Every structure is written in C-alpha cells, then in structure tokens.
Amino acid sequence: MKRFGEVIRLKKEYLEEYKQYHANPWPGTNEMLKKCHIQNYTIFHRDGVLFAYYEYTGDDFEGDMKLRAEDPETQKWWELLNPMQEPFENREDGEWWSKMEPVYHLD
Amino acid sequence: MKRFGEVIRLKKEYLEEYKQYHANPWPGTNEMLKKCHIQNYTIFHRDGVLFAYYEYTGDDFEGDMKLRAEDPETQKWWELLNPMQEPFENREDGEWWSKMEPVYHLD
C-alpha cells in the first residue's frame, strides 16, 4: 500500500460550492475511485488550500489513474470542480494537484 | 475514529535536518503517540509547507494530547524540531500546527 499527499489551491469564491459537492459526492465517481484501488481518501481545506490524503492498494498506479481519467462521470465531475481550483505554477508536467514528499510515517 | 489534517510552515534552511530527524524518529516519541491513540500518521512536505495526516482512535483527544505534552522525551523532540517550523499567524489559540477542515471522505 502506498500513501499519497497532494495539494492544490481553491479559489475562495468557490469554497461553499466545493464543500457542498464534496459533502454529497456522486456514487459513480466514488465507485470509480474504489475500482482504481484508492481507499481512505480525505480532503481537507484551510485558507484557500486543499490537501488530499489517500492510499493506493493496487500495483499499477498509472494504469489505474488512466482508467479513472477515461470514466465519463469522473470527467463530468472534473469539468465542474477543476475550474474552482488553481493549481500551483511549479507543478510537475501532467499534474493538476501537486504531489507532496512523504517525510515521516508511523503505522 | 477521527481523521485529522494539520499544516505548518517549515523554514527552508532546515528542510534536510527536519527530514533526517523524521526518517529516524525516536522510539520513545513514537511509542508515546501510539499510547495517545494516534495511528496511521504521515507527514508530507512541499515548498516549505508540512502537512500531517493522522487518525485518532481514543475517546479523550484533549486528555491524550495533554498526556503527550507531559512526556519528557516528546518535550525534548519538540525543543529540537519546533524552531525549524513557522506556525501560521492566524492559527487558533493554543495551536502550533493549524488544524484543517475535512471536506470529503471516502472509506
């Protein structure tokens, strides 16, 4: 199992709308996450910054992320939600959320 | 079980030292965390910001945090590590790391 931490900015004017969508996530996009071996996924917010923590239990992360990106419902979700976010300028090629470096872990 | 996300800044000049300490954490401070019902604790870094994710399985969070704060080894750890960090000015009273608001969760 691999743990991921990712970060992105949220445009302040969309905070309430973003929270509302995530308090009532679509069953199909949630199902797709599980199908792609994502578990224990939590998003936190503070002062215009979103932090996501999740665990990946599969053995082909890139393949699973590609599968997820091909899902029409997930694409619709992103079309709605991505414009509310503002990715960091120095993110890696192909990233939207920026991956963080794990520096400590305790089971 | 309750999930926590917390954030603090790390002074850039201490990045390597901070990482080294956390790659070799003290057995006593780790043990104390477990005693205080903290599990699945990960710290991530990116661009001078630290994000911590952990799960609390007890039923007296404040009591457990007080217990932890009274542990001499944990105090020594903080004496070494805290000066490397720079808390957010708008943190809550009594906070060092700032708690984030959970906005989404998938088991």
Side-chain angles (χ1 to χ4, degrees):
Chain A
M1 190 256 280
K2 214 185 151 194
R3 296 169 181 84
F4 288 91
E6 298 183 346
V7 69
I8 199 165
R9 286 169 297 191
L10 179 67
K11 296 176 190 165
K12 298 209 178 208
E13 63 269 32
Y14 291 115
L15 175 59
E16 288 313 314
E17 202 178 342
Y18 187 90
K19 280 165 68 172
Q20 227 163 8
Y21 271 105
H22 284 81
N24 305 283
W26 298 348
T29 51
N30 270 358
E31 218 170 274
M32 198 63 208
L33 281 163
K34 285 188 171 290
K35 205 178 187 168
C36 295
H37 307 101
I38 300 285
Q39 69 174 25
N40 202 16
Y41 185 1
T42 308
I43 300 177
F44 299 88
H45 168 264
R46 185 179 175 279
D47 274 355
V49 176
L50 296 169
F51 176 85
Y53 169 87
Y54 60 86
E55 297 164 358
Y56 177 71
T57 59
D59 52 17
D60 178 14
F61 185 75
E62 286 191 19
D64 276 332
M65 293 309 101
K66 214 182 141 205
L67 193 71
R68 192 179 165 220
E70 285 163 0
D71 172 54
E73 206 175 332
T74 298
Q75 287 169 2
K76 210 170 279 179
W77 175 262
W78 286 341
E79 265 169 46
L80 278 164
L81 275 297
N82 285 16
M84 302 182 194
Q85 299 170 332
E86 196 180 356
F88 288 100
E89 284 79 8
N90 64 354
R91 68 191 185 277
E92 300 292 319
D93 272 359
E95 276 191 348
W96 182 251
W97 290 69
S98 295
K99 286 209 175 42
M100 301 183 84
E101 180 189 12
V103 296
Y104 169 75
H105 180 72
L106 175 76
D107 280 337
Chain B
M1 190 257 280
K2 215 184 150 194
R3 295 168 180 84
F4 287 90
E6 299 183 345
V7 68
I8 199 164
R9 286 170 297 192
L10 179 67
K11 297 176 189 164
K12 299 212 178 207
E13 63 269 32
Y14 291 114
L15 175 58
E16 287 314 314
E17 203 178 342
Y18 186 91
K19 280 166 68 172
Q20 227 164 5
Y21 271 106
H22 283 81
N24 305 282
W26 298 348
T29 52
N30 270 358
E31 218 171 274
M32 198 63 208
L33 281 164
K34 285 188 169 291
K35 206 177 186 169
C36 295
H37 307 102
I38 300 285
Q39 69 174 25
N40 202 14
Y41 185 2
T42 308
I43 299 178
F44 299 90
H45 168 263
R46 186 180 174 279
D47 272 355
V49 177
L50 296 169
F51 177 85
Y53 170 86
Y54 59 86
E55 297 164 358
Y56 177 72
T57 59
D59 52 18
D60 178 15
F61 184 74
E62 286 191 18
D64 276 332
M65 292 309 101
K66 213 182 142 206
L67 193 71
R68 193 180 164 221
E70 285 163 1
D71 173 53
E73 206 175 333
T74 298
Q75 288 170 3
K76 211 170 278 181
W77 176 262
W78 286 340
E79 265 167 46
L80 278 165
L81 276 296
N82 286 16
M84 302 182 194
Q85 300 170 332
E86 195 180 356
F88 288 101
E89 285 80 8
N90 65 354
R91 67 190 184 278
E92 300 293 319
D93 272 357
E95 277 190 349
W96 182 251
W97 289 71
S98 296
K99 286 209 174 42
M100 302 184 83
E101 180 190 11
V103 297
Y104 169 76
H105 180 71
L106 174 78
D107 278 338

